[in-house]
Amino acid sequence: MVLIWVAERRLVPLVTPALFLQYEEVLKRPTQLRASGLTEWQVDRALAALASAAEPVDVHYRWRPQLPDAGDELVFEAAVNGRADALVTFNTRHFATATIRFGLRIARPAEVLEEMTR
């Protein structure tokens, strides 16, 4: 369902070049490949699909440090610089203070799915 909404542009993922490269690095780790059951070729295809559907975001200003986990900063910067309607994550605890400070809505994936199906 989510992929259909992305294809219909009802949901638009935001991505910076640095965040995209981080996705690629993580998804191609041997442990991640074993866990997902995907090959590197399949990961490349999925990333190409993401790249074609995502809205590229230029980072005009790095807001670091804002979060307790430095690994989350790339996600936060994409959301802030891309003027996201919401930062959607399972990890709301790490983003809570910073999203309030920047007036950015934070939501869990289930909340967004529920809203989209109403």
Side-chain angles (χ1 to χ4, degrees):
M1 184 66 73
V2 172
L3 297 177
I4 292 169
W5 293 335
V6 170
E8 294 172 348
R9 306 288 292 167
R10 291 180 61 200
L11 285 176
V12 181
L14 302 177
V15 66
T16 65
L19 181 58
F20 191 86
L21 290 172
Q22 182 184 36
Y23 288 161
E24 180 180 33
E25 189 274 322
V26 169
L27 291 171
K28 287 185 175 182
R29 289 177 186 164
T31 53
Q32 187 64 34
L33 290 171
R34 280 192 300 276
S36 69
L38 298 174
T39 65
E40 283 195 24
W41 180 81
Q42 290 170 315
V43 169
D44 286 339
R45 289 193 50 165
L47 289 170
L50 173 62
S52 70
E55 183 174 313
V57 173
D58 291 324
V59 176
H60 297 289
Y61 188 78
R62 294 182 190 264
W63 300 98
R64 297 178 194 179
Q66 295 292 323
L67 307 171
D69 181 352
D72 294 333
E73 297 286 354
L74 291 175
V75 173
F76 184 72
E77 286 176 351
V80 171
N81 282 282
R83 296 187 177 109
D85 293 329
L87 192 153
V88 182
T89 181
F90 289 107
N91 187 7
T92 58
R93 184 173 52 91
H94 280 184
F95 290 95
T97 302
T99 53
I100 290 169
R101 187 176 310 129
F102 283 79
L104 181 61
R105 176 181 175 223
I106 188 167
R108 293 184 185 276
E111 293 172 53
V112 174
L113 291 174
E114 186 177 311
E115 290 169 12
M116 299 284 297
T117 56
R118 285 187 199 151

